[in-house]
């Protein structure tokens, strides 16, 4: 029994009671408490007469969020044992000094971007087009202010858990190398589960990217897929035959693919006559939307697919785990570049073909 108690006590010791009271002007709406590590809802209640309350037990210092069930914005907090009062109308919180600063940081950091987006949304489509250069500058200024705010947190809050809530933003804005240098100083928050989870995800992504880039410098690997008419073709029918070929991984359901496609079309129109070709390998699950997108997106090149989505033969052969993606293959069949998008694609083709 003593041994059993010793085994159970460490787990129980990690549980801390939370007590959350709040106000909201959305009567009848469901308010949820979500664990940000697992993204699971741990408690919920309904706004009644402008008020709501929740209580229970959760992991000590768990990073959590409170919001109405369909809201994109949540009020963040750490389960540090201090009761909190939340105003969902203005996203403010009263509780421990740490949690009060956390929510204040969140509001202040996002304020420049929120203000910029309100300005953009108030403009007509025509006005946005006329001021697109000015708006691009405004977006850059807003992002710079956000980055300054995030950097300040990592400088001033070394001895609290607050940086945990902004670690993803810091990595995206300041880079993995800078984050690694911060982690090397062993701040208080380094062992928080959120940090460990993020580091594991980034390590996986890095390994996946390195695996993708390992194809550069190698001879292409052949594969077989069907064209829109159902005829089976080998990739080797088009690659290694004296032309530069972009093997483009895409799908009709992929929003970023659709956004990138005008850039690919421009490259094809500009360099096709000079010896540039494209083979599109689709990750669609159904034939109809695949074939329709070929026409709708104005893609007049070779198209193949086995219509198996992520189980496509192309995914296995070339380690494709996200799209859009592509391979640039030289006239002899050697892969010389991968993941060329936007200006990077145009710059590389200009380097090869000239203007």
């Amino acid at each position: 029994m003593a041994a059993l108690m010793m085994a159970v006590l460490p787990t129980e010791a990690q549980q801390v009671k939370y007590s959350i009271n709040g106000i909201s002007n959305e009567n009848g709406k469901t308010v949820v408490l979500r664990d940000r590590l697992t993204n699971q809802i741990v408690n919920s209640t309904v706004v009644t007469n402008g008020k709501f309350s929740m209580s229970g037990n959760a992991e000590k210092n768990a990073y959590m969020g409170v919001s109405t069930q369909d809201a994109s914005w949540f009020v963040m907090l750490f389960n540090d044992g201090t009761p909190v009062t939340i105003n969902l109308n203005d996203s403010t919180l009263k509780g421990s000094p740490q949690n009060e600063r956390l929510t204040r940081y969140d509001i202040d950091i996002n304020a420049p971007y929120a203000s910029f987006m309100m300005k953009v949304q108030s403009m007509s489509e025509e006005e946005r087009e006329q001021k697109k250069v000015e708006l691009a500058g405004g977006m850059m200024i807003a992002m710079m202010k956000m980055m300054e705010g995030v950097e300040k947190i990592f400088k001033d809050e070394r001895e609290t858990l607050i940086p945990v809530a902004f670690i993803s933003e810091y990595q995206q804005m300041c880079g993995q190398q800078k984050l690694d240098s911060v982690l090397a100083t062993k701040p208080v928050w380094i062992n928080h589960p959120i940090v460990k989870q993020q580091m594991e995800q980034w390590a996986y992504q890095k390994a996946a990217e390195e695996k993708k880039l390992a194809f550069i410098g190698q001879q292409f690997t052949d594969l077989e897929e069907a064209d829109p008419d159902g005829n089976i073709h080998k990739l080797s029918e088009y690659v290694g035959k004296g032309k530069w070929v972009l093997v483009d991984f895409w799908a009709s359901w992929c929003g970023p693919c659709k956004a990138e496609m005008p850039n690919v079309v421009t490259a094809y129109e500009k360099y096709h006559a000079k010896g540039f070709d494209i083979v599109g390998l689709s990750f669609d699950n159904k034939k109809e939307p695949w074939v329709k997108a070929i026409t709708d997106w104005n893609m007049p090149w070779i198209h193949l697919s086995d219509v198996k989505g992520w189980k496509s033969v192309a995914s296995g052969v070339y380690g494709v785990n996200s799209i859009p993606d592509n391979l640039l293959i030289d006239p002899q069949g050697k892969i010389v570049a991968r993941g060329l998008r936007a200006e990077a694609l145009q710059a590389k083709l200009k380097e090869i073909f000239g203007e």
Side-chain angles (χ1 to χ4, degrees):
M1 185 176 291
L4 180 61
M5 288 179 67
M6 290 300 292
V8 172
L9 279 174
T11 302
E12 291 182 343
Q14 295 301 309
Q15 294 291 305
V16 172
K17 182 178 179 179
Y18 61 81
S19 177
I20 301 169
N21 292 292
I23 62 172
S24 169
N25 57 18
E26 296 186 285
N27 282 315
K29 277 288 186 80
T30 298
V31 175
V32 298
L33 173 66
R34 194 181 294 272
D35 187 320
R36 303 309 302 179
L37 179 68
T38 63
N39 205 35
Q40 297 297 308
I41 294 173
V42 296
N43 206 339
S44 65
T45 188
V46 175
V47 179
T48 305
N49 296 323
K51 297 180 180 180
F52 64 89
S53 64
M54 289 180 280
S55 63
N57 293 300
E59 286 288 314
K60 181 181 179 181
N61 291 323
Y63 175 43
M64 310 175 91
V66 177
S67 69
T68 51
Q69 195 160 13
D70 56 354
S72 57
W73 180 278
F74 61 90
V75 177
M76 52 178 66
L77 61 98
F78 290 103
N79 186 32
D80 56 14
T82 302
V84 299
T85 301
I86 293 174
N87 184 339
L88 285 181
N89 300 322
D90 62 9
S91 301
T92 56
L93 173 151
K94 290 184 179 180
S96 66
Q98 176 177 252
N99 277 332
E100 289 185 3
R101 291 202 310 280
L102 172 64
T103 52
R104 189 72 256 164
Y105 277 128
D106 192 32
I107 292 169
D108 290 347
I109 284 171
N110 285 282
Y113 179 76
S115 177
F116 173 77
M117 289 308 299
M118 284 181 65
K119 176 182 177 181
V120 172
Q121 289 167 6
S122 69
M123 300 167 68
S124 65
E125 198 68 43
E126 183 180 2
E127 193 176 2
R128 289 177 199 168
E129 181 63 26
Q130 291 173 346
K131 296 185 177 180
K132 61 182 179 181
V133 175
E134 178 187 328
L135 291 175
M139 171 67 87
M140 184 65 70
I141 291 170
M143 296 304 292
M144 288 296 293
K145 288 181 178 178
M146 290 179 71
M147 185 172 74
E148 289 170 4
V150 171
E151 286 187 298
K152 187 176 189 306
I153 290 171
F154 278 71
K155 179 182 177 182
D156 295 348
E157 298 289 347
R158 277 184 49 82
E159 304 304 317
T160 75
L161 295 177
I162 290 174
V164 169
F166 300 96
I167 189 167
S168 181
E169 287 83 353
Y170 189 88
Q171 191 261 0
Q172 292 171 10
M173 294 178 176
C174 303
Q176 186 64 48
Q177 186 174 0
K178 196 165 182 178
L179 176 59
D180 287 341
S181 67
V182 173
L183 293 171
T185 66
K186 304 247 187 291
V188 165
W189 46 267
I190 191 171
N191 291 317
H192 193 280
I194 289 284
V195 177
K196 290 182 177 180
Q197 181 189 65
Q198 289 282 11
M199 296 305 292
E200 288 171 1
Q201 289 178 354
W202 292 329
Y204 172 80
Q205 291 169 2
K206 182 180 179 182
E209 287 304 311
E210 287 175 350
K211 185 178 179 181
K212 285 183 180 182
L213 294 176
F215 286 93
I216 297 174
Q218 304 298 314
Q219 200 71 7
F220 83 97
T221 301
D222 209 2
L223 56 81
E224 290 185 349
E225 289 188 345
D227 66 19
D229 295 322
N231 301 310
I232 301 297
H233 293 274
K234 289 186 175 182
L235 188 59
S236 55
E237 293 176 35
Y238 315 105
V239 175
K241 301 296 184 182
K243 289 187 175 183
W244 285 87
V245 179
L246 186 77
V247 177
D248 190 39
F249 306 114
W250 70 287
S252 65
W253 48 259
C254 170
C257 299
K258 185 175 183 179
E260 174 66 12
M261 204 55 70
N263 181 56
V264 181
V265 171
T266 297
Y268 182 82
E269 292 175 344
K270 188 171 184 179
Y271 297 109
H272 179 60
K274 296 184 178 183
F276 174 63
D277 219 334
I278 300 174
V279 177
L281 299 185
S282 168
F283 279 61
D284 276 278
N285 292 291
K286 296 180 180 179
K287 182 176 179 179
E288 185 178 341
W290 166 45
V291 175
K292 186 174 186 297
I294 293 171
T295 301
D296 291 351
W297 298 6
N298 186 32
M299 300 185 287
W301 47 78
I302 301 147
H303 290 279
L304 304 175
S305 180
D306 52 15
V307 202
K308 293 182 179 179
W310 291 113
K311 293 182 180 179
S312 164
V313 64
S315 177
V317 170
Y318 288 110
V320 182
N321 57 12
S322 63
I323 51 177
D325 192 7
N326 57 49
L327 305 170
L328 182 62
I329 304 177
D330 75 8
Q332 290 73 47
K334 184 172 75 174
I335 300 168
V336 299
R338 182 162 193 168
L340 296 172
R341 296 174 64 181
E343 289 301 318
L345 175 61
Q346 301 296 335
K348 187 64 179 179
L349 294 178
K350 181 179 178 181
E351 176 188 321
I352 294 167
F353 295 106
E355 290 292 350

